[in-house]
């Protein structure tokens, strides 16, 4: 069933896109991530121009994050104050990111930078997560209780000035690393078309020592705004948001997420993290192969004043 | 799915009372009844049919099939940059590029016979006819400084355009339905650019170029697609807000429909 994408200016199979959305939604529901880091590479593999894949991916992340955050609002596992400070930085980072995105596109290095960022970040995060989950798995098998938060332990982050109290997270930290983290992820979000949950979640846990139960809700909350902002800025400056493509992905995604969440409940935390890590590494590997394998043709065309 | 976009004929019968002018007696016209073709949501390439009339042709030559017609549909011209990847530390990176100021986005050709059988290559070059001969203007100073590079990238540009089907050729795409009536069938690629296209027909007699005629055709996206595209181009901010609103509603509705807690 073909459908013409008005912005990407090509025809795609509607069922493939819906299925892609469903599969990513399933995985994101299972692991509690936005799924942007899977959607964008999948779209690129499906021959959607990277510029459109990135901007449209950001749009789809808004839908999946809204869907996910509602549950956390209800359960109260969301730190609004921390989320707001994070997103202040996020908006700032995203603005710079969209500017860099346009610049890279004009000099013809966007595809390369997007691929390199994906390979580097997914490879690192996936590798670390895999090691951590295997260790936790072993510990659990050995009968020890895993503990991520070690009270009383302070690192350099806690010596910075401008401290602020976050009640829900039971934290008293400087706003500098919080805003910096938000900005860094906002920057990546706009270049890679991701929400940044796969970086935000570990960073909140390991760097800021935020309690695990509020991490996902808070991360999702700030992602909604950063991804929404990224979508709007991309639409306004690069005209690369394909609303038809995004809508198909969203519909597939929100449906898939519900089934994924049910499947996720049957697995233990460290098993889930190990699976997610393997998946992240697979995506990184696939993108890395494309960087090194000789292309079918070394030449490519870029039309100015259009796409 | 390939469909026929029926572009009806509209004859321009030229009254020619002075029969048999020795130099160019033939009158030669193509016509389109519609000058707009709309691309709808299920568009995946199509055939475009153009009708034309050849009058006052030499009957003897016509019977022998010595008249040849080449019809081209040339898409709007835009600036294009061609980039070349080379291997740097094992990774394929765009390292060289060449900009062209004006390149037809698409170029579909239909002919009565294979192009090399119709006339000499020199003639095609003079007429700038055929995807090999369209003039692609490179950025001026580069043309003078490094002509070999421009030639290499020009060849790559034509090759890429042909590979994506935007430049295509249909041998036998022009058929005579009667001694004076002909039909040209051109292929529109799935990613045919929107904008003003120019249909041009070239008449050859015994391998000699006789005359050219042209007509204009506008390709637009159909109703909804066009509106989405125009809004995105003209009003990006509003478009972005709408996209976000749609995402919020979809996410929220999804949550309501599949309530699980």
């Amino acid at each position: 069933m073909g459908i013409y994408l008005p912005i990407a200016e090509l025809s795609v199979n509607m069922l493939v896109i819906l299925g892609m959305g469903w599969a990513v939604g399933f995985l994101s529901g299972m692991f509690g991530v936005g799924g942007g880091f899977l959607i964008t590479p999948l779209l690129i593999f499906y021959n959607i121009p990277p510029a459109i894949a990135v901007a449209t991916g950001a749009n789809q992340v808004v839908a999946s994050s809204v869907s996910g955050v509602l549950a956390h609002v209800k359960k109260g596992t969301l730190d609004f104050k921390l989320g707001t400070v994070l997103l202040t930085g996020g908006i700032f980072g995203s603005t710079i990111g969209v500017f860099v995105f346009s610049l890279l596109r004009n000099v013809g290095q966007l595809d390369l930078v997007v691929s390199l960022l994906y390979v580097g970040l997914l490879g690192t995060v996936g590798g670390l997560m895999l090691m951590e989950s295997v260790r936790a798995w072993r510990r659990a098998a050995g009968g020890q209780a895993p503990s991520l938060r070690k009270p009383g332990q302070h690192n350099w982050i806690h010596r910075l000035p401008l401290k602020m109290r976050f009640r829900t997270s039971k934290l008293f930290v400087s706003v500098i690393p919080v805003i910096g983290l938000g900005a860094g992820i906002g920057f990546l979000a706009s270049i890679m078309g991701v929400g940044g949950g796969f970086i935000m979640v570990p960073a909140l846990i390991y760097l800021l020592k935020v309690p695990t139960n509020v991490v996902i809700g808070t991360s999702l909350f700030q992602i909604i705004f950063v991804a929404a902002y990224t979508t709007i800025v991309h639409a306004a400056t690069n005209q690369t948001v394909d609303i038809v493509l995004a809508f198909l992905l969203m519909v597939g995604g929100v449906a898939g997420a519900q089934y994924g969440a049910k499947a996720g409940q049957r697995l233990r935390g460290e098993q889930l993290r190990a699976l997610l890590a393997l998946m992240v590494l697979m995506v990184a590997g696939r993108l890395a192969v494309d960087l090194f394998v000789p292309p079918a043709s070394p030449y490519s065309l870029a039309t100015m004043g259009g796409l | 799915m390939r469909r026929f976009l029926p572009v009806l004929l509209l004859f321009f019968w030229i009254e020619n009372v002075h029969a048999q002018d020795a130099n160019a007696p033939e009158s030669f016209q193509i016509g389109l009844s519609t000058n707009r073709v709309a691309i709808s949501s299920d568009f995946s390439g199509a055939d475009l049919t153009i009708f034309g009339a050849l009058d006052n042709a030499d009957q003897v030559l016509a019977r022998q099939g010595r008249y040849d017609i080449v019809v081209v549909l040339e898409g709007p011209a835009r600036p294009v940059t061609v980039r070349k990847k080379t291997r740097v530390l094992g990774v394929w990176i765009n390292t060289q590029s060449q900009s062209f100021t004006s390149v037809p986005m698409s170029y579909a050709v239909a002919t009565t016979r294979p192009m090399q059988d119709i006339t000499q290559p020199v003639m095609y070059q003079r007429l700038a006819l055929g995807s090999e001969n369209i003039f692609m203007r490179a950025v001026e100073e580069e043309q003078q400084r490094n002509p070999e590079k421009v030639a290499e990238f020009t060849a790559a540009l034509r090759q890429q355009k042909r590979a994506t089907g935007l430049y295509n050729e249909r041998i036998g795409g022009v058929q005579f339905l009667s001694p004076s009536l002909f039909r040209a069938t051109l292929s529109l690629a799935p990613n045919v650019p929107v904008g003003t296209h120019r249909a041009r027909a070239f008449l050859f007699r015994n391998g000699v170029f006789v005359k050219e005629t042209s007509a204009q055709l506008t390709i637009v996206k159909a109703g909804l697609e066009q509106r989405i595209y125009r809004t995105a181009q003209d009003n990006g901010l509003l478009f972005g807000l709408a996209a976000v609103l749609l995402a919020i509603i979809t996410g929220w509705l999804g949550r309501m429909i599949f309530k699980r807690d």
Side-chain angles (χ1 to χ4, degrees):
Chain A
M1 230 170 121
I3 186 159
Y4 182 79
L5 304 177
I7 308 295
E9 301 194 296
L10 48 88
S11 290
V12 292
N13 188 326
M14 197 163 119
L15 297 176
V16 170
I17 300 288
L18 278 172
M20 209 184 264
W22 196 93
V24 171
F26 182 87
L27 296 170
S28 67
M30 192 155 143
F31 300 121
V33 291
F37 74 96
L38 290 170
I39 282 279
T40 307
L42 277 176
L43 290 178
I44 295 174
F45 298 153
Y46 196 56
N47 286 329
I48 306 285
I52 289 170
V54 165
T56 307
N59 193 7
Q60 121 85 21
V61 166
V62 176
S64 65
S65 308
V66 166
S67 196
V69 88
L70 290 170
H72 291 278
V73 172
K74 217 168 169 185
K75 282 187 269 179
T77 48
L78 196 169
D79 188 334
F80 282 103
K81 195 174 172 189
L82 180 62
T84 309
V85 176
L86 279 171
L87 95 88
T88 315
I91 300 290
F92 178 72
S94 170
T95 309
I96 299 173
V98 172
F99 174 75
V100 172
F101 182 93
S102 298
L103 198 82
L104 287 171
R105 201 174 138 190
N106 288 340
V107 299
Q109 301 299 355
L110 178 69
D111 306 10
L112 174 73
V113 172
V114 168
S115 294
L116 282 177
L117 276 176
Y118 266 101
V119 171
L121 277 172
L122 294 182
T124 313
V125 172
L128 288 174
M129 226 160 47
L130 188 64
M131 286 195 298
E132 185 276 330
S133 55
V134 169
R135 238 180 286 143
W137 204 330
R138 285 218 190 110
R139 256 202 313 268
Q144 257 178 297
S147 75
L148 293 170
R149 186 174 157 87
K150 299 182 182 95
Q153 186 198 340
H154 282 59
N155 51 21
W156 59 272
I157 283 172
H158 295 260
R159 288 196 293 272
L160 292 169
L162 289 171
K163 291 208 173 190
M164 200 184 234
R165 191 170 294 282
F166 300 100
R167 283 187 202 289
T168 321
S169 308
K170 303 185 192 76
L171 270 185
F172 184 60
V173 289
S174 160
V175 293
I176 295 169
V178 181
I179 290 183
L181 179 64
I185 289 173
F187 179 79
L188 293 175
S190 53
I191 292 188
M192 299 167 71
V194 295
F198 70 98
I199 309 168
M200 179 67 89
V201 170
L204 288 180
I205 296 175
Y206 299 113
L207 288 177
L208 296 181
K209 316 280 184 201
V210 177
T212 322
N213 62 334
V214 295
V215 162
I216 291 180
T218 308
S219 162
L220 282 174
F221 169 76
Q222 81 96 30
I223 283 169
I224 294 175
F225 292 93
V226 174
Y229 179 75
T230 305
T231 307
I232 292 168
V233 178
H234 270 307
T237 58
N238 300 316
Q239 286 93 38
T240 43
V241 177
D242 197 305
I243 202 165
V244 175
L245 179 60
F247 183 66
L248 291 175
L249 291 171
M250 289 172 203
V251 169
V254 293
Q258 318 305 324
Y259 295 96
K262 273 188 202 121
Q265 281 158 6
R266 297 202 202 107
L267 289 165
R268 288 217 316 278
E270 58 271 19
Q271 289 173 330
L272 267 181
R273 285 204 297 277
L275 274 178
L276 177 61
L278 283 176
M279 207 169 63
V280 167
L281 285 176
M282 263 160 54
V283 175
R286 174 68 173 78
L287 282 165
V289 165
D290 281 352
L291 283 175
F292 293 102
V293 165
S297 164
Y299 299 100
S300 60
L301 306 184
T303 306
M304 305 296 135
L307 288 167
Chain B
M1 182 189 67
R2 298 189 73 85
R3 289 181 312 160
F4 277 88
L5 290 180
V7 175
L8 262 159
L9 72 166
L10 212 172
F11 292 108
F12 298 89
W13 297 104
I14 305 283
E15 289 294 326
N16 198 337
V17 277
H18 309 287
Q20 300 301 323
D21 175 351
N23 290 323
E26 301 90 348
S27 76
F28 176 56
Q29 290 293 335
I30 53 169
L32 315 165
S33 78
T34 172
N35 44 23
R36 273 164 80 90
V37 171
I39 294 178
S40 59
S41 67
D42 57 354
F43 182 80
S44 55
D47 287 342
L48 176 75
T49 308
I50 297 173
F51 286 92
L54 168 64
D55 263 346
N56 287 335
D58 187 309
Q59 291 307 310
V60 181
L61 290 174
R63 259 197 303 277
Q64 291 170 340
R66 308 287 273 279
Y67 281 104
D68 279 301
I69 292 166
V70 176
V71 179
V72 302
L73 185 70
E74 194 179 313
R78 293 209 193 133
V80 168
T81 300
V82 182
R83 300 207 167 90
K84 186 187 180 183
K85 279 194 166 92
T86 51
R87 203 161 200 165
V88 181
L89 300 171
V91 177
W92 290 88
I93 297 176
N94 286 327
T95 48
Q96 284 178 295
S97 70
Q98 172 65 52
S99 295
F100 295 84
T101 52
S102 164
V103 173
M105 295 293 291
S106 64
Y107 195 83
V109 181
T111 61
T112 41
R113 286 191 289 162
M115 287 194 70
Q116 64 268 26
D117 296 349
I118 296 175
T119 185
Q120 304 298 317
V122 190
M123 183 65 90
Y124 290 129
Q125 275 167 28
R126 222 174 62 207
L127 295 168
L129 176 59
S131 62
E132 271 314 310
N133 302 310
I134 327 168
F135 183 57
M136 295 174 168
R137 185 187 294 276
V139 175
E140 207 69 56
E141 62 266 33
E142 190 73 23
Q143 176 72 61
Q144 279 156 15
R145 208 173 54 218
N146 199 347
E148 295 92 26
K149 183 188 163 203
V150 172
E152 179 201 339
F153 279 77
T154 309
L157 174 54
R158 296 187 209 279
Q159 182 50 43
Q160 285 290 307
K161 285 285 192 186
R162 272 197 289 266
T164 51
L166 280 169
Y167 285 11
N168 59 60
E169 203 173 289
R170 223 166 148 144
I171 295 159
V174 180
Q175 285 169 325
F176 278 98
L177 303 174
S178 77
S180 62
L181 182 63
F182 66 88
R183 181 181 65 198
T185 309
L186 296 150
S187 304
L188 298 182
N191 51 349
V192 67
V194 294
T196 305
H197 292 239
R198 193 152 66 114
R200 299 163 77 193
F202 298 81
L203 176 68
F204 295 89
R205 179 183 57 206
N206 262 336
V208 179
F209 170 65
V210 181
K211 55 170 67 173
E212 180 195 335
T213 175
S214 70
Q216 282 202 344
L217 174 72
T218 308
I219 296 188
V220 294
K221 296 177 190 187
L224 183 63
E225 286 80 9
Q226 169 68 3
R227 240 175 299 153
I228 291 175
Y229 178 77
R230 283 260 58 99
T231 313
Q233 290 294 319
D234 303 342
N235 220 330
L237 189 65
L238 195 76
F239 186 80
L241 286 168
V244 167
L245 193 68
L246 179 72
I248 293 173
I249 294 170
T250 313
W252 181 74
L253 274 181
R255 184 76 200 162
M256 293 299 114
I257 294 165
F258 299 95
K259 213 162 192 168
R260 62 187 145 95
D261 48 16

